[in-house]
Coordinates of all heavy atoms in Angstrom, one line a residue:
K1157 N -0.9 12.3 -3.1 CA -1.7 13.1 -4.0 C -2.9 12.4 -4.5 O -4.0 12.9 -4.6 CB -0.8 13.6 -5.2 CG 0.2 14.6 -4.8 CD 1.1 14.8 -6.0 CE 0.5 15.3 -7.3 NZ 1.5 15.5 -8.4
M1158 N -2.7 11.0 -4.8 CA -3.8 10.3 -5.2 C -4.8 10.2 -4.2 O -6.1 10.3 -4.3 CB -3.4 8.9 -5.6 CG -2.8 8.8 -7.0 SD -4.0 9.1 -8.5 CE -5.1 7.7 -8.1
E1159 N -4.5 9.8 -3.0 CA -5.3 9.7 -1.8 C -6.1 11.0 -1.4 O -7.3 10.9 -1.1 CB -4.5 9.3 -0.5 CG -3.9 7.9 -0.6 CD -2.8 7.8 0.4 OE1 -2.5 8.6 1.3 OE2 -2.2 6.7 0.3
E1160 N -5.5 12.2 -1.6 CA -6.1 13.4 -1.2 C -7.0 13.9 -2.3 O -8.1 14.4 -2.0 CB -5.1 14.4 -0.8 CG -5.6 15.8 -0.4 CD -4.5 16.8 0.1 OE1 -3.5 16.2 0.4 OE2 -4.8 17.9 0.3
F1161 N -6.4 13.9 -3.4 CA -7.1 14.5 -4.6 C -8.0 13.7 -5.5 O -8.9 14.1 -6.2 CB -6.0 15.3 -5.5 CG -5.2 16.2 -4.8 CD1 -3.9 16.3 -5.2 CD2 -5.7 17.0 -3.7 CE1 -3.1 17.3 -4.5 CE2 -4.9 17.7 -2.9 CZ -3.6 18.0 -3.4
V1162 N -7.9 12.3 -5.4 CA -8.6 11.5 -6.3 C -9.5 10.5 -5.5 O -10.6 10.4 -5.6 CB -7.7 10.6 -7.1 CG1 -8.5 9.6 -8.1 CG2 -6.9 11.6 -8.2
W1163 N -8.9 9.7 -4.6 CA -9.6 8.9 -3.7 C -10.7 9.6 -3.0 O -11.9 9.1 -2.7 CB -8.7 8.2 -2.7 CG -7.7 7.2 -3.1 CD1 -7.3 7.0 -4.4 CD2 -7.2 6.2 -2.4 NE1 -6.4 6.0 -4.4 CE2 -6.3 5.6 -3.2 CE3 -7.1 5.9 -1.0 CZ2 -5.4 4.4 -2.7 CZ3 -6.3 4.8 -0.5 CH2 -5.5 4.3 -1.5
S1164 N -10.5 10.7 -2.5 CA -11.6 11.5 -1.7 C -12.7 12.1 -2.4 O -13.7 12.6 -1.9 CB -10.8 12.7 -1.0 OG -10.3 13.6 -2.0
E1165 N -12.7 12.0 -3.8 CA -13.8 12.5 -4.5 C -15.0 11.7 -4.2 O -15.1 10.6 -3.9 CB -13.6 12.2 -6.0 CG -12.4 13.2 -6.6 CD -12.9 14.7 -6.8 OE1 -14.2 14.9 -7.0 OE2 -12.1 15.5 -6.4
P1166 N -16.2 12.5 -4.0 CA -17.6 11.8 -3.7 C -18.0 10.8 -4.5 O -18.8 10.0 -3.9 CB -18.4 13.1 -3.6 CG -17.8 14.1 -4.5 CD -16.3 13.9 -4.4
D1167 N -17.7 10.6 -5.7 CA -18.1 9.6 -6.5 C -17.1 8.4 -6.7 O -17.4 7.4 -7.3 CB -18.6 10.0 -7.9 CG -17.4 10.8 -8.6 OD1 -16.5 11.2 -7.9 OD2 -17.4 11.0 -9.8
I1168 N -15.9 8.6 -5.9 CA -14.9 7.5 -5.9 C -14.9 6.9 -4.5 O -14.7 5.7 -4.4 CB -13.6 7.9 -6.4 CG1 -13.5 8.4 -7.8 CG2 -12.5 6.9 -6.1 CD1 -12.4 8.9 -8.5
L1169 N -14.9 7.7 -3.4 CA -14.8 7.2 -2.1 C -15.7 6.1 -1.7 O -15.4 5.2 -1.2 CB -14.8 8.4 -1.1 CG -14.5 8.0 0.3 CD1 -13.1 7.5 0.5 CD2 -14.7 9.1 1.2
P1170 N -17.0 6.3 -2.2 CA -17.9 5.1 -1.9 C -17.5 3.8 -2.5 O -18.0 2.7 -1.9 CB -19.4 5.6 -2.5 CG -19.1 7.1 -2.5 CD -17.7 7.4 -2.8
L1171 N -16.9 3.8 -3.6 CA -16.4 2.5 -4.2 C -15.3 1.9 -3.2 O -15.3 0.7 -3.2 CB -15.7 2.8 -5.6 CG -16.7 3.4 -6.7 CD1 -15.9 3.7 -7.9 CD2 -17.6 2.3 -7.0
F1172 N -14.5 2.6 -2.6 CA -13.5 2.1 -1.6 C -14.3 1.5 -0.4 O -13.9 0.5 0.0 CB -12.7 3.2 -1.2 CG -11.5 3.4 -2.2 CD1 -11.6 4.4 -3.1 CD2 -10.3 2.7 -2.0 CE1 -10.6 4.8 -4.1 CE2 -9.2 3.1 -2.9 CZ -9.4 4.0 -4.0
Q1173 N -15.3 2.3 0.1 CA -15.9 1.9 1.3 C -16.9 0.8 1.0 O -17.0 0.0 2.0 CB -16.7 3.2 1.8 CG -15.8 4.4 2.0 CD -16.6 5.6 2.5 OE1 -17.6 5.9 1.8 NE2 -16.0 6.4 3.3
N1174 N -17.4 0.7 -0.1 CA -18.5 -0.5 -0.2 C -18.3 -1.6 -1.2 O -18.9 -2.7 -1.1 CB -19.9 0.3 -0.8 CG -20.3 1.5 0.2 OD1 -20.2 1.4 1.3 ND2 -20.7 2.5 -0.4
D1175 N -17.3 -1.4 -2.1 CA -17.2 -2.3 -3.2 C -15.9 -3.2 -3.3 O -15.8 -4.1 -3.9 CB -17.5 -1.7 -4.5 CG -18.9 -1.1 -4.6 OD1 -19.9 -1.8 -4.3 OD2 -19.1 0.0 -5.1
V1176 N -14.9 -2.8 -2.5 CA -13.6 -3.4 -2.6 C -13.1 -3.6 -1.2 O -13.5 -2.9 -0.3 CB -12.6 -2.6 -3.4 CG1 -13.2 -2.5 -4.9 CG2 -12.3 -1.3 -2.8
V1177 N -12.1 -4.5 -1.1 CA -11.3 -4.7 0.1 C -10.0 -4.0 -0.2 O -9.3 -4.4 -1.2 CB -11.1 -6.2 0.6 CG1 -10.0 -6.2 1.6 CG2 -12.4 -6.7 1.0
L1178 N -9.6 -3.0 0.5 CA -8.4 -2.3 0.2 C -7.2 -2.9 0.9 O -7.2 -3.0 2.1 CB -8.6 -0.8 0.6 CG -7.4 0.1 0.4 CD1 -6.9 0.2 -1.0 CD2 -7.6 1.6 1.0
A1179 N -6.2 -3.3 0.1 CA -4.9 -3.7 0.6 C -3.9 -2.8 0.5 O -3.3 -2.8 -0.8 CB -4.7 -5.2 0.1
S1180 N -3.5 -1.9 1.3 CA -2.4 -1.1 1.0 C -1.0 -1.7 1.5 O -0.8 -1.9 2.7 CB -2.6 0.2 1.7 OG -3.7 1.0 1.3
L1181 N -0.2 -1.9 0.6 CA 1.0 -2.7 0.8 C 2.3 -1.7 0.7 O 2.5 -1.2 -0.3 CB 1.3 -4.0 -0.2 CG 0.1 -5.0 -0.2 CD1 0.4 -6.0 -1.2 CD2 -0.2 -5.5 1.2
Y1182 N 2.8 -1.4 1.9 CA 3.8 -0.3 1.9 C 5.3 -0.9 1.4 O 5.9 -1.8 2.3 CB 3.9 0.3 3.2 CG 2.8 1.3 3.5 CD1 1.5 0.8 3.8 CD2 3.0 2.6 3.2 CE1 0.5 1.6 4.0 CE2 1.9 3.5 3.5 CZ 0.6 3.0 3.9 OH -0.4 3.9 4.0
V1183 N 5.8 -0.5 0.4 CA 7.0 -1.1 -0.2 C 8.2 -0.5 0.6 O 9.3 -1.0 0.2 CB 7.2 -1.0 -1.6 CG1 6.1 -1.6 -2.5 CG2 7.2 0.6 -1.9
D1184 N 8.0 0.5 1.4 CA 9.2 1.0 2.2 C 9.0 0.8 3.7 O 9.4 1.7 4.5 CB 9.3 2.6 1.8 CG 8.0 3.3 2.1 OD1 7.0 2.7 2.5 OD2 7.9 4.5 1.9
D1185 N 8.2 -0.2 4.1 CA 8.0 -0.5 5.5 C 9.3 -1.1 6.0 O 9.8 -2.1 5.6 CB 6.9 -1.6 5.6 CG 6.5 -1.8 7.0 OD1 7.3 -1.6 8.0 OD2 5.3 -2.3 7.3
K1186 N 9.8 -0.4 7.1 CA 11.2 -0.8 7.6 C 11.2 -1.7 8.7 O 12.3 -2.2 9.2 CB 11.8 0.6 8.1 CG 12.2 1.7 7.0 CD 13.1 1.2 6.0 CE 13.4 2.4 5.1 NZ 14.2 1.7 3.9
E1187 N 10.1 -2.3 9.0 CA 9.9 -3.4 10.0 C 10.7 -4.6 9.5 O 10.5 -5.0 8.3 CB 8.6 -3.7 10.4 CG 8.5 -4.8 11.3 CD 7.0 -5.2 11.8 OE1 6.3 -4.4 11.4 OE2 6.8 -6.2 12.5
E1188 N 11.7 -5.1 10.2 CA 12.6 -6.2 9.7 C 11.7 -7.6 9.6 O 11.0 -7.8 10.5 CB 13.8 -6.3 10.4 CG 14.8 -5.2 10.2 CD 16.3 -5.5 10.6 OE1 16.5 -6.8 10.8 OE2 17.1 -4.7 10.5
L1189 N 12.2 -8.4 8.8 CA 11.6 -9.7 8.7 C 12.3 -10.6 9.7 O 13.4 -10.4 10.1 CB 11.8 -10.3 7.2 CG 11.0 -9.7 5.9 CD1 11.6 -10.1 4.7 CD2 9.5 -10.0 6.2
P1190 N 11.8 -11.7 10.0 CA 12.5 -12.8 10.8 C 13.7 -13.1 10.1 O 13.8 -13.1 8.9 CB 11.5 -13.8 11.0 CG 10.0 -13.3 10.7 CD 10.3 -12.1 9.7
E1191 N 14.7 -13.6 10.8 CA 16.0 -14.0 10.3 C 15.8 -15.0 9.3 O 16.7 -15.0 8.2 CB 16.9 -14.3 11.3 CG 17.4 -13.2 12.4 CD 18.2 -12.2 11.6 OE1 18.9 -12.4 10.6 OE2 18.0 -10.9 11.9
D1192 N 15.1 -16.0 9.5 CA 15.0 -17.1 8.4 C 14.2 -16.7 7.2 O 14.1 -17.6 6.2 CB 14.3 -18.4 9.1 CG 12.8 -18.0 9.6 OD1 12.5 -16.8 9.5 OD2 12.0 -18.9 10.0
Q1193 N 13.8 -15.4 7.1 CA 13.1 -15.0 5.8 C 13.9 -14.0 5.1 O 13.5 -13.5 4.1 CB 11.7 -14.4 6.2 CG 10.7 -15.3 6.8 CD 9.4 -14.8 7.0 OE1 8.9 -13.9 6.2 NE2 8.7 -15.2 8.0
K1194 N 15.0 -13.5 5.6 CA 15.9 -12.6 5.0 C 16.8 -13.5 4.0 O 17.2 -14.5 4.2 CB 16.8 -11.8 6.0 CG 16.1 -11.0 7.1 CD 17.1 -10.4 8.0 CE 16.3 -9.6 8.9 NZ 17.2 -8.9 10.1
T1195 N 17.1 -12.6 2.9 CA 17.9 -13.2 1.9 C 18.6 -12.2 1.1 O 18.3 -11.0 1.2 CB 17.0 -14.1 0.9 OG1 17.8 -14.9 0.1 CG2 15.9 -13.3 0.2
K1196 N 19.4 -12.7 0.1 CA 20.2 -11.7 -0.8 C 20.0 -12.3 -2.2 O 20.0 -13.6 -2.4 CB 21.6 -11.6 -0.5 CG 21.9 -11.0 0.9 CD 23.4 -10.9 1.1 CE 23.8 -10.1 2.5 NZ 25.2 -10.1 2.6
I1197 N 19.9 -11.4 -3.2 CA 19.7 -11.9 -4.5 C 20.7 -11.3 -5.4 O 20.9 -10.1 -5.4 CB 18.2 -11.7 -5.2 CG1 17.2 -12.3 -4.2 CG2 18.2 -12.0 -6.6 CD1 15.9 -12.0 -4.5
D1198 N 21.5 -12.2 -6.0 CA 22.6 -11.5 -7.0 C 22.0 -11.1 -8.3 O 21.3 -11.7 -9.0 CB 23.6 -12.7 -7.2 CG 24.8 -12.2 -8.0 OD1 24.8 -11.1 -8.3 OD2 25.7 -13.1 -8.4
L1199 N 22.2 -9.7 -8.5 CA 21.6 -9.2 -9.9 C 22.6 -9.2 -10.8 O 22.5 -8.6 -11.9 CB 21.1 -7.8 -9.5 CG 20.1 -7.7 -8.4 CD1 19.7 -6.2 -8.2 CD2 18.9 -8.5 -8.7
G1200 N 23.9 -9.5 -10.5 CA 25.1 -9.4 -11.6 C 25.7 -8.0 -11.5 O 25.3 -7.0 -10.9

């Protein structure tokens, strides 16, 4: 919704295109890490 209704506004989209480097980090990317980077964390 943000991408379609807010980012696309004509006075906001140029800020993305000209003034910043956009780093979209997907927190649900299912590609697995190498085995030596996998871990478990005890939350109690």
